[in-house]
Amino acid sequence: MNLPPTVAQLQRQHVVLELECIDRMYLNAYVPKLTSEAGIAGFLRGHLGHRFASTKYAGEMTDAFVTAIRDFLHREQIPLIRFRKGQRKDQVMQERLRRFRAPEGVVFVGVAQEKMRVPRTIRKAFAPGGTIPWIAYSTAMVNAYYFYCLDEDFGPFFLKFGSYFPYPAKICLNGHEYLKRQLAKRGIAFEALDNGLLSCADLPAAQRICEGLSAEKIDAFFRKWLGRLPHPFRPRDRRAGYRYQLSVLQAEFSLTQVWDRGLHGRAFFEEVIRENLDLGRPEQVQLIFGRKLQRKTVARGRCRTRLITEGVSPSLHVYYKNTHLKQYHKEGRALRTETTINNTYDFGVGRRLINLPQLRQIGFAANRRLLEVETLSHDCHVGAEAFAQLQRPAQVEGQHVAALPFGQARVQALFAVLVLFCLQPQGFQNKQLRPLLAQYLGLSEADLTPGRMSYDLRRLRLRGLIERLPATHRYRLTLAGMKTALFYARVYQRVLRPGLSHVHGPTLIESSPLAAAIQRLESAFDVFVTQQMAA
């Protein structure tokens, strides 16, 4: 009989390319001095010199900015497209990009009305019968100008400006496009995957390029295009410190693993999805994201798992607060594991672009942990081998070591007593363990000699379950020993003994759901056999 391959086997034997790369990044460009009502009032009064803080004084800047955009389009002969409601902007970009021949430049400019948070001037009462202009935030439908461009180093991207003061901007770029451009410039052959790589002649070089996509390079790229496109702030405003800075709105961190055959990718998903529909449970989310969940986070249902199937292609989705971890089979050839961080505060990290190294570490670690959890939850051969090694004698460092068979009274008693010492930092001695073990076995202390106790300590030490404290006769549990002791003790006491009591206990058979279910199974099997024999 051929057993289906395990998740660990599929990962270990059939992945021919593995690449970690920042995928899509959506960045917010803002002027730090203009993020509050007080800052805007300071700009209007302190910088522009107006008597009152009223946003109507920014109207001239807005008119000048819109005029500069129109002049730029006319001078560069760039088409202006008004996006329709529901129209996919990326699709328009792809169609235009196929006809674009320059190595870099503005492909087209799109305009759409969007709802934005903007400062407005209101009248605020400050004394009986008196009012003054006051800055307050509200929402408004504002024209947003999308500059869809092609960069020689970063590939396709867009930079969006709001046409209302203080002109918030957003930039969207793709790390995989940056990687492809850099590989081409270095003359390294590769086969492109949609938003990724299918093969590469120098994979280590490709990984180094991905790791080299730093906050400094992204900031320099942003400054380069700010200098080429119409700018809403005048040079004297920028000299006064009113300059754009970047923060992270959304960042995707991807791990791409290409299979030698697409069939193995399908096998992977069949195995993983069957075993990991509980990944959204709090205890699993804690493992994946390395975060301790608070009760209110669990109570609000901010951790969950979803399985989505498009056609015959399934995808696995795990959610933690505003963070989304997705795993899917890409183009029938690659496994894409992708962590999207939508709010950096979920991990106690600031939003500024300088925090990109920390976010990179969090995102890529989450991808790896997801694969580890999937492997451990499915690949029982690891646990089966560890369990089997304890059930049979072994040779360790040239010495014969006796087995530790599960269910044997002395072994079960030994592990149950060891659990009592797992939190004792100074460890334990032979003479401390012996009376507790004798009591557990129902023996007198005289019946359990120090030599017999030393025999048990020796087999535990050689198997790596306990270790001797240096220069002492004291021992302590290792991490493997603690896990094994807890497993032996809890499974035997809480699962095996109660379960068998329900099945075989004469007083429990009538009231036990487990015993009743087994009886129904036996009856159904007897009926099936009788029917088959009669046929």
Side-chain angles (χ1 to χ4, degrees):
M1 181 178 69
N2 293 324
L3 295 175
T6 66
V7 169
Q9 288 174 332
L10 289 169
Q11 292 281 330
R12 187 169 52 248
Q13 300 173 7
H14 300 288
V15 172
V16 295
L17 180 146
E18 187 171 275
L19 187 71
E20 285 183 329
C21 184
I22 295 175
D23 193 32
R24 187 176 290 104
M25 288 194 71
Y26 199 35
L27 305 174
N28 182 42
Y30 66 103
V31 180
K33 289 186 176 183
L34 299 178
T35 56
S36 65
E37 294 91 337
I40 291 171
F43 176 82
L44 297 171
R45 296 186 61 191
H47 179 65
L48 297 184
H50 296 292
R51 183 180 178 187
F52 297 106
S54 175
T55 53
K56 73 176 185 179
Y57 299 127
E60 296 179 4
M61 293 179 60
T62 299
D63 292 340
F65 180 43
V66 174
T67 300
I69 293 175
R70 291 173 179 169
D71 293 343
F72 175 78
L73 296 177
H74 179 72
R75 183 174 62 254
E76 302 291 333
Q77 296 184 347
I78 297 170
L80 176 67
I81 298 176
R82 293 194 173 274
F83 293 123
R84 300 185 305 274
K85 185 176 180 180
Q87 186 177 15
R88 296 196 62 178
K89 302 177 181 65
D90 287 344
Q91 186 175 357
V92 178
M93 172 61 170
Q94 293 302 322
E95 294 172 356
R96 294 272 176 173
L97 192 59
R98 283 193 287 268
R99 302 193 296 268
F100 193 74
R101 294 292 176 261
E104 72 173 19
V106 180
V107 180
F108 73 96
V109 175
V111 61
Q113 278 211 330
E114 298 178 358
K115 185 179 289 187
M116 293 187 184
R117 182 173 178 265
V118 297
R120 290 183 180 274
T121 305
I122 62 173
R123 305 297 301 186
K124 182 175 181 179
F126 72 98
T131 62
I132 59 173
W134 197 261
I135 302 296
Y137 276 96
S138 64
T139 58
M141 296 300 292
V142 177
N143 278 341
Y145 288 91
Y146 287 79
F147 290 84
Y148 278 88
C149 311
L150 181 67
D151 185 80
E152 198 171 9
D153 290 321
F154 279 78
F157 74 97
F158 74 78
L159 178 58
K160 177 179 76 170
F161 285 101
S163 61
Y164 194 96
F165 181 81
Y167 317 109
K170 291 178 175 58
I171 184 170
C172 183
L173 57 94
N174 192 302
H176 283 107
E177 294 297 330
Y178 170 81
L179 170 62
K180 294 173 185 177
R181 292 274 167 168
Q182 298 305 311
L183 289 174
K185 291 179 72 172
R186 289 165 171 76
I188 300 174
F190 67 92
E191 186 178 357
L193 191 67
D194 177 32
N195 203 23
L197 294 186
L198 186 61
S199 64
C200 182
D202 190 347
L203 188 58
Q207 187 60 64
R208 288 194 297 271
I209 292 171
C210 295
E211 293 168 358
L213 182 55
S214 63
E216 292 76 16
K217 287 185 179 179
I218 294 173
D219 188 74
F221 157 73
F222 173 64
R223 304 291 169 195
K224 166 188 169 181
W225 283 94
L226 271 185
R228 294 182 59 172
L229 300 177
H231 201 296
F233 291 95
R234 295 164 297 183
R236 74 181 188 91
D237 300 331
R238 300 198 290 271
R239 287 194 296 269
Y242 294 97
R243 299 173 58 87
Y244 282 109
Q245 299 294 330
L246 292 175
S247 64
V248 178
L249 281 178
Q250 184 185 84
E252 298 177 357
F253 301 92
S254 69
L255 171 63
T256 305
Q257 296 171 305
V258 178
W259 307 102
D260 53 1
R261 295 175 60 198
L263 177 65
H264 294 131
R266 170 61 57 181
F268 174 89
F269 260 98
E270 288 176 354
E271 298 299 329
V272 163
I273 289 175
R274 181 164 51 243
E275 301 289 341
N276 290 281
L277 290 178
D278 63 344
L279 284 174
R281 291 180 179 176
E283 62 272 15
Q284 296 284 57
V285 170
Q286 290 183 136
L287 290 175
I288 295 170
F289 292 102
R291 305 284 292 177
K292 184 176 181 180
L293 301 187
Q294 298 179 356
R295 289 183 179 179
K296 61 182 180 180
T297 301
V298 178
R300 291 173 183 171
R302 302 181 72 184
C303 305
R304 65 189 189 278
T305 309
R306 294 177 67 198
L307 178 62
I308 300 175
T309 302
E310 296 182 5
V312 295
S313 300
S315 58
L316 188 65
H317 301 255
V318 180
Y319 298 88
Y320 164 67
K321 294 186 178 180
N322 300 288
T323 300
H324 175 201
L325 200 160
K326 178 170 62 173
Q327 193 175 58
Y328 58 98
H329 201 204
K330 193 172 185 66
E331 297 185 21
R333 288 298 309 274
L335 171 69
R336 172 64 65 82
T337 307
E338 189 173 271
T339 297
T340 303
I341 298 176
N342 295 298
N343 188 347
T344 63
Y345 291 153
D346 289 348
F347 301 94
V349 179
R351 290 193 175 124
R352 292 184 62 191
L353 186 59
I354 59 174
N355 296 303
L356 182 59
Q358 290 176 266
L359 297 176
R360 182 197 298 267
Q361 184 177 0
I362 292 167
F364 290 142
N367 294 337
R368 292 291 182 182
R369 289 195 193 103
L370 175 63
L371 290 171
E372 290 173 7
V373 170
E374 290 171 341
T375 300
L376 291 174
S377 65
H378 178 266
D379 189 9
C380 299
H381 290 296
V382 176
E385 180 62 24
F387 183 76
Q389 287 179 358
L390 296 175
Q391 309 310 305
R392 56 177 182 258
Q395 292 289 327
V396 179
E397 300 175 1
Q399 302 181 58
H400 178 79
V401 185
L404 292 165
F406 178 79
Q408 189 185 81
R410 183 169 169 182
V411 173
Q412 291 299 143
L414 181 62
F415 280 123
V417 172
L418 283 174
V419 171
L420 301 176
F421 294 97
C422 66
L423 297 178
Q424 193 162 318
Q426 69 270 26
F428 56 88
Q429 293 178 298
N430 182 317
K431 63 182 181 181
Q432 293 175 297
L433 195 63
R434 192 157 55 92
L436 294 175
L437 182 61
Q439 183 181 358
Y440 201 99
L441 291 170
L443 304 173
S444 66
E445 190 174 341
D447 293 332
L448 188 61
T449 64
R452 292 181 64 185
M453 194 73 258
S454 297
Y455 170 82
D456 287 329
L457 291 173
R458 175 180 172 275
R459 58 175 172 170
L460 290 170
R461 179 179 59 81
L462 289 175
R463 289 183 178 274
L465 304 180
I466 63 173
E467 59 185 0
R468 191 195 297 270
L469 296 177
T472 69
H473 292 289
R474 307 184 71 87
Y475 300 87
R476 66 183 171 199
L477 275 170
T478 62
L479 181 60
M482 183 175 66
K483 293 178 179 179
T484 303
L486 288 172
F487 173 80
Y488 266 57
R490 291 183 177 180
V491 171
Y492 186 74
Q493 294 290 344
R494 301 184 184 182
V495 179
L496 188 62
R497 290 179 61 185
L500 292 177
S501 297
H502 280 244
V503 174
H504 297 292
T507 60
L508 292 175
I509 287 180
E510 298 299 327
S511 60
S512 170
L514 176 62
I518 292 177
Q519 283 188 333
R520 288 196 299 271
L521 175 63
E522 291 177 347
S523 299
F525 186 72
D526 290 340
V527 171
F528 174 76
V529 171
T530 303
Q531 291 174 346
Q532 294 300 314
M533 294 293 289

